[in-house]
């Protein structure tokens, strides 16, 4: 909406001054289609809100490509191609990532595209790494141009381990996940335990016959230009009453993540790589994932503009994370470019004032620069 206002202001000023109006077309069209990969508990909605929408249900990747169309993202190019993948809401990323790869091949066949770009939120950013490798192995060439993760627990989430450990306030893993993600957890095909075990850093159980956890997953699906041309991530953290009510209650009455300390592996056994700094009540997490878990590849900076275009750029002050299980202290603790939003704000779960259409338009513009 701010971009439309900017265009109108420019047009008025031009008319007054007798100058030709500057043309604004929103974000540039990406070379390859953009595929959105949802997180745990997703596809159609999350806590009653449309996934990948604004607070009113508009899909952020819906280009305004029809006459007089209004329920669309005016900040992206009218010719932009975007798709939303659908995988099992509660499953391991081994399963979800394979499903995602299958969906992507369908999109590629439909659009005739040789490659795609991926935007994954939360577990979707993890699934995307599995899908990128699967596509490479199937097709013999790199099929993902730019892989963007948003709020993804690349080194695990303490909340997942807290729930699996049945800590105070948790009587059942399934009931806990249903409380925060909705009753979709009870539908056929979901495996709540597999989903939760995926998001713990170390293998949660050495006796179940299956190696799980992010540490092992990161070894199998690393940051590699063989699988994707570029890996980038956006990091979120927020504290206090602005946090979504469900996440705020989680942190205030059950568990608050200590998510900005450094050590090798999961030194404090909280379920995430790294160690806390001993201070929980601060903006070091987004309600579900600590900042020490979220950087993959190059860290991105999101800058909002009141009248002009929002932008996403490379944060050159923090080096890229190329070894997911061995980030540096700065990569795990720096608050540089951390977006002040909670885990759910960035995919359209309100109530909030975050401008999701502009946020994703800025990501599209960044992708178009590199794909």
């Amino acid at each position: 909406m701010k971009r439309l206002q900017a265009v109108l202001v420019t047009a008025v000023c031009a008319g007054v001054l007798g100058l030709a109006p500057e043309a604004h077309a929103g974000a540039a069209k990406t070379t390859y289609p953009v595929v959105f990969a949802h997180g745990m508990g997703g596809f159609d909605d999350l806590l009653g809100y449309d996934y990948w929408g604004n607070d009113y249900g508009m899909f952020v990747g819906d280009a305004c490509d029809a006459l007089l169309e209004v329920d669309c993202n005016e900040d992206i190019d009218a010719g932009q191609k975007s798709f939303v993948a659908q995988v099992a809401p509660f499953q391991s990323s081994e399963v979800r990532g394979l499903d995602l790869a299958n969906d992507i091949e369908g999109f590629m066949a439909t659009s005739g595209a040789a490659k795609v770009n991926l935007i994954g939120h939360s577990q979707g950013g993890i699934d995307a790494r599995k899908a990128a490798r699967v596509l490479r192995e199937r097709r013999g060439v790199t099929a993902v141009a730019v892989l963007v993760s948003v709020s993804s627990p690349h080194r695990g989430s303490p909340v997942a381990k807290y729930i699996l450990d049945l800590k105070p306030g948790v009587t059942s893993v399934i009931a806990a996940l249903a409380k925060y993600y909705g009753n979709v957890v009870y539908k056929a095909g979901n495996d709540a335990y597999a989903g939760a075990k995926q998001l713990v850093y170390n293998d949660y159980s050495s006796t179940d016959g299956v190696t799980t956890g992010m540490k092992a997953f990161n070894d199998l699906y690393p940051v590699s230009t063989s699988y994707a041309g570029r890996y980038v991530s956006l990091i979120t953290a927020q504290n206090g009453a602005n946090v979504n009510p469900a996440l705020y209650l989680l942190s205030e009455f059950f568990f608050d993540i200590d998510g900005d300390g450094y050590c090798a592996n999961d030194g404090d056994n909280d379920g995430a790589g790294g160690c806390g700094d001993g201070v929980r009540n601060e903006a070091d997490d987004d309600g579900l994932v600590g900042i020490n878990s979220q950087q993959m590849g190059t860290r991105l900076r999101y800058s909002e503009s009141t009248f002009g275009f929002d932008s996403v750029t490379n944060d050159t002050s923090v080096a890229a994370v190329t070894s997911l299980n061995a980030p540096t202290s700065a990569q795990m603790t720096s608050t540089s470019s951390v977006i002040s939003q909670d885990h759910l704000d960035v995919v359209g779960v309100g109530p909030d004032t975050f401008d999701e259409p502009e946020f994703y338009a800025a990501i599209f513009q960044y992708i178009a620069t590199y794909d």
Side-chain angles (χ1 to χ4, degrees):
M1 196 63 185
K2 289 185 292 186
R3 296 189 181 187
L4 178 60
Q5 293 170 346
V7 172
L8 293 175
V9 169
T10 302
V12 170
C13 292
V16 171
L17 298 175
L19 303 174
E22 182 181 356
H24 289 276
K29 179 184 176 184
T30 61
T31 303
Y32 306 110
V34 175
V35 178
F36 287 80
H38 65 79
M40 179 179 284
F43 174 59
D44 289 329
D45 65 78
L46 190 63
L47 295 178
Y49 288 82
D50 289 314
Y51 217 112
W52 303 119
N54 60 5
D55 290 358
Y56 308 101
M58 181 200 78
F59 171 44
V60 295
D62 184 8
C64 298
D65 54 358
L67 183 64
L68 302 179
E69 184 179 6
V70 293
D71 191 22
C72 56
N73 190 347
E74 63 191 15
D75 296 320
I76 62 177
D77 189 277
Q80 179 65 50
K81 299 299 181 184
S82 305
F83 305 94
V84 180
Q86 179 179 5
V87 301
F90 296 91
Q91 258 294 356
S92 72
S93 286
E94 289 285 356
V95 173
R96 285 167 50 106
L98 183 59
D99 289 348
L100 176 59
N102 293 338
D103 274 7
I104 290 170
E105 288 210 292
F107 300 146
M108 294 175 75
T110 300
S111 63
K115 295 183 179 181
V116 294
N117 300 292
L118 301 181
I119 299 177
H121 171 249
S122 193
Q123 190 179 356
I126 298 167
D127 304 338
R129 287 195 278 120
K130 159 87 176 189
R133 175 171 175 172
V134 170
L135 291 169
R136 168 64 192 232
E137 291 173 347
R138 286 179 178 176
R139 305 171 75 87
V141 294
T142 303
V144 177
V146 181
L147 194 161
V148 184
S149 73
V150 182
S151 312
S152 293
H154 295 289
R155 285 170 288 281
S157 167
V159 173
K161 188 172 187 298
Y162 187 91
I163 291 174
L164 285 167
D165 288 348
L166 301 181
K167 290 292 185 67
V170 180
T171 58
S172 161
V173 171
I174 294 177
L177 292 175
K179 181 176 182 179
Y180 295 107
Y181 292 102
N183 289 334
V184 68
V185 69
Y186 297 110
K187 291 186 177 180
N190 287 314
D191 186 335
Y193 288 91
K197 288 178 181 179
Q198 177 67 77
L199 303 184
V200 176
Y201 183 75
N202 290 315
D203 183 9
Y204 187 75
S205 174
S206 61
T207 61
D208 63 4
V210 181
T211 301
T212 60
M214 290 310 305
K215 183 177 182 180
F217 189 89
N218 291 341
D219 287 336
L220 288 172
Y221 309 103
V223 171
S224 170
T225 53
S226 292
Y227 307 141
R230 189 172 187 82
Y231 292 79
V232 296
S233 51
L234 290 144
I235 300 172
T236 52
Q238 196 170 50
N239 191 46
N242 287 330
V243 175
N244 180 276
L247 299 180
Y248 179 74
L249 291 174
L250 175 68
S251 65
E252 292 298 309
F253 297 107
F254 295 107
F255 180 64
D256 186 14
I257 298 170
D258 186 3
D260 62 347
Y262 170 76
C263 65
N265 297 309
D266 183 4
D268 54 3
N269 195 34
D270 70 345
C275 296
D277 66 353
V279 181
R280 293 189 182 276
N281 191 24
E282 59 181 350
D284 61 354
D285 67 89
D286 62 9
L288 289 177
V289 188
I291 64 173
N292 55 8
S293 186
Q294 294 183 47
Q295 187 176 348
M296 169 206 67
T298 299
R299 181 180 298 212
L300 299 183
R301 174 179 287 117
Y302 173 53
S303 302
E304 296 182 81
S305 175
T306 302
F307 296 108
F309 291 85
D310 291 357
S311 64
V312 167
T313 56
N314 297 317
D315 184 345
T316 58
S317 70
V318 183
V321 174
T322 55
S323 179
L324 290 166
N325 288 331
T328 65
S329 176
Q331 291 163 342
M332 298 189 82
T333 63
S334 173
T335 58
S336 178
S337 302
V338 172
I339 303 169
S340 182
Q341 297 294 327
D342 68 45
H343 195 77
L344 303 178
D345 288 340
V346 288
V347 289
V349 178
D352 62 57
T353 58
F354 188 63
D355 194 333
E356 295 87 1
E358 284 217 45
F359 175 63
Y360 288 98
I363 296 176
F364 278 39
Q365 176 68 38
Y366 177 89
I367 292 173
T369 305
Y370 289 97
D371 79 335

Coordinates of all heavy atoms in Angstrom, one line a residue, residues 2 28-29 33 37 40 54 59 65 97-98 107 124 129 154 185 201 225 231 255 274 298 305 329 341 365:
K2 N 2.0 1.2 0.7 CA 2.9 2.4 0.8 C 3.4 2.7 -0.6 O 3.6 3.8 -0.9 CB 4.0 2.1 1.8 CG 3.6 2.1 3.2 CD 4.8 1.9 4.2 CE 5.4 0.6 4.0 NZ 6.5 0.3 5.0
A28 N 10.8 -6.2 -9.5 CA 11.2 -6.8 -10.8 C 10.7 -8.2 -10.8 O 10.6 -8.9 -9.8 CB 12.6 -6.7 -11.0
K29 N 10.3 -8.6 -12.0 CA 9.9 -10.0 -12.2 C 11.1 -10.9 -12.1 O 12.2 -10.7 -12.7 CB 9.3 -10.2 -13.6 CG 8.8 -11.6 -13.9 CD 8.3 -11.7 -15.3 CE 7.9 -13.1 -15.7 NZ 7.5 -13.2 -17.1
P33 N 10.1 -18.9 -11.6 CA 9.0 -18.8 -10.7 C 9.5 -19.0 -9.2 O 10.5 -19.6 -9.0 CB 8.1 -20.0 -11.1 CG 8.5 -20.4 -12.5 CD 10.0 -20.0 -12.6
A37 N 7.2 -22.4 0.4 CA 7.2 -23.7 1.2 C 6.8 -23.3 2.6 O 7.5 -22.6 3.3 CB 8.6 -24.4 1.2
M40 N 5.7 -25.9 9.7 CA 4.9 -26.8 10.5 C 3.5 -26.3 10.7 O 3.3 -25.1 11.0 CB 5.6 -27.1 11.8 CG 4.8 -28.1 12.7 SD 5.6 -28.5 14.3 CE 6.9 -29.6 13.7
N54 N -1.8 -11.6 3.8 CA -1.8 -10.5 4.7 C -2.8 -10.8 5.8 O -3.4 -11.9 5.8 CB -2.0 -9.2 4.0 CG -3.4 -9.1 3.3 OD1 -4.2 -10.1 3.4 ND2 -3.6 -8.0 2.6
F59 N -3.1 -13.6 -0.9 CA -1.8 -14.3 -1.1 C -0.8 -13.3 -1.6 O -1.0 -12.5 -2.5 CB -2.0 -15.4 -2.1 CG -0.7 -16.0 -2.6 CD1 0.3 -16.4 -1.7 CD2 -0.5 -16.3 -3.9 CE1 1.5 -16.9 -2.1 CE2 0.6 -16.9 -4.4 CZ 1.6 -17.2 -3.5
D65 N -2.7 -9.3 -12.3 CA -2.6 -9.6 -13.8 C -3.9 -9.7 -14.5 O -4.0 -10.2 -15.6 CB -1.8 -10.9 -14.0 CG -2.5 -12.1 -13.2 OD1 -3.5 -11.9 -12.5 OD2 -1.9 -13.2 -13.3
G97 N 10.4 -32.7 2.7 CA 11.3 -32.2 1.6 C 11.1 -33.0 0.3 O 11.2 -32.4 -0.8
L98 N 10.8 -34.3 0.4 CA 10.6 -35.1 -0.8 C 9.2 -34.7 -1.4 O 9.1 -34.6 -2.6 CB 10.6 -36.6 -0.4 CG 10.4 -37.6 -1.5 CD1 11.5 -37.4 -2.6 CD2 10.3 -39.0 -1.0
F107 N 5.2 -27.9 -10.7 CA 5.2 -26.5 -11.1 C 6.1 -26.2 -12.3 O 5.8 -25.4 -13.1 CB 5.7 -25.7 -9.9 CG 4.8 -25.8 -8.6 CD1 5.4 -25.7 -7.4 CD2 3.4 -26.0 -8.7 CE1 4.6 -25.8 -6.2 CE2 2.7 -26.1 -7.6 CZ 3.2 -26.0 -6.4
G124 N 9.7 -25.0 6.6 CA 9.7 -24.9 5.1 C 11.1 -24.6 4.6 O 11.5 -25.0 3.5
R129 N 15.9 -27.3 1.6 CA 17.3 -27.8 1.4 C 17.2 -29.2 0.9 O 18.0 -29.6 0.1 CB 18.1 -27.6 2.6 CG 18.5 -26.2 2.9 CD 19.6 -26.1 3.9 NE 19.2 -26.1 5.3 CZ 19.5 -27.0 6.2 NH1 20.3 -28.0 5.8 NH2 19.1 -27.0 7.4
H154 N 17.4 -23.8 11.6 CA 18.4 -24.6 11.0 C 19.3 -25.3 12.0 O 19.9 -26.4 11.6 CB 19.3 -23.7 10.1 CG 18.6 -23.1 8.9 ND1 18.2 -23.9 7.8 CD2 18.2 -21.9 8.6 CE1 17.6 -23.1 7.0 NE2 17.6 -21.9 7.4
V185 N -3.3 -31.3 13.2 CA -2.4 -32.3 13.7 C -3.1 -33.7 13.8 O -2.4 -34.7 13.7 CB -1.8 -31.9 15.0 CG1 -2.8 -31.9 16.1 CG2 -0.6 -32.8 15.4
Y201 N 18.1 -30.3 17.8 CA 19.4 -30.3 17.2 C 20.0 -31.7 17.1 O 20.4 -32.2 16.0 CB 20.4 -29.4 17.9 CG 21.8 -29.3 17.3 CD1 22.0 -28.6 16.1 CD2 22.9 -29.9 17.9 CE1 23.2 -28.5 15.5 CE2 24.1 -29.8 17.3 CZ 24.3 -29.1 16.1 OH 25.6 -29.0 15.6
T225 N 26.5 -25.1 -3.6 CA 26.1 -24.6 -4.9 C 25.7 -25.7 -5.9 O 25.2 -25.4 -7.0 CB 27.2 -23.7 -5.5 OG1 28.4 -24.4 -5.5 CG2 27.4 -22.4 -4.6
Y231 N 22.1 -19.3 -1.2 CA 21.4 -19.5 0.0 C 21.4 -18.2 0.9 O 22.5 -17.6 1.1 CB 22.1 -20.6 0.9 CG 22.1 -22.0 0.3 CD1 22.9 -22.4 -0.7 CD2 21.2 -22.9 0.8 CE1 22.9 -23.7 -1.3 CE2 21.1 -24.2 0.3 CZ 22.0 -24.6 -0.8 OH 22.0 -25.9 -1.3
F255 N 7.6 -21.3 28.7 CA 9.0 -21.5 28.3 C 9.4 -20.3 27.4 O 8.8 -20.0 26.4 CB 9.2 -22.8 27.5 CG 10.6 -23.0 27.1 CD1 11.6 -23.2 28.0 CD2 10.9 -23.1 25.7 CE1 12.9 -23.4 27.6 CE2 12.2 -23.3 25.3 CZ 13.2 -23.5 26.2
G274 N 24.3 -24.3 20.0 CA 24.7 -23.1 20.7 C 24.3 -23.1 22.2 O 23.6 -24.1 22.6
T298 N 23.9 -16.4 3.4 CA 24.1 -15.0 3.6 C 22.9 -14.4 4.4 O 21.8 -14.7 4.2 CB 24.2 -14.3 2.3 OG1 25.3 -14.7 1.6 CG2 24.3 -12.8 2.4
S305 N 10.5 1.4 4.1 CA 10.5 2.8 3.7 C 9.1 3.4 3.7 O 8.1 2.7 3.3 CB 11.0 3.0 2.2 OG 10.9 4.3 1.7
S329 N 30.7 -17.3 16.6 CA 30.0 -16.6 17.7 C 29.2 -15.5 17.1 O 28.0 -15.3 17.5 CB 31.0 -16.1 18.7 OG 30.4 -15.4 19.7
Q341 N 9.9 -8.9 14.4 CA 8.6 -9.5 14.2 C 8.7 -10.9 14.9 O 9.8 -11.5 14.9 CB 8.2 -9.6 12.8 CG 8.1 -8.3 12.0 CD 6.9 -7.4 12.5 OE1 5.9 -8.0 12.9 NE2 7.1 -6.1 12.5
Q365 N 12.2 -8.7 -5.3 CA 13.2 -7.8 -5.9 C 14.6 -8.3 -5.7 O 15.4 -8.3 -6.6 CB 13.0 -6.4 -5.3 CG 14.0 -5.4 -5.9 CD 13.8 -5.1 -7.3 OE1 12.7 -5.0 -7.8 NE2 14.9 -4.9 -8.1

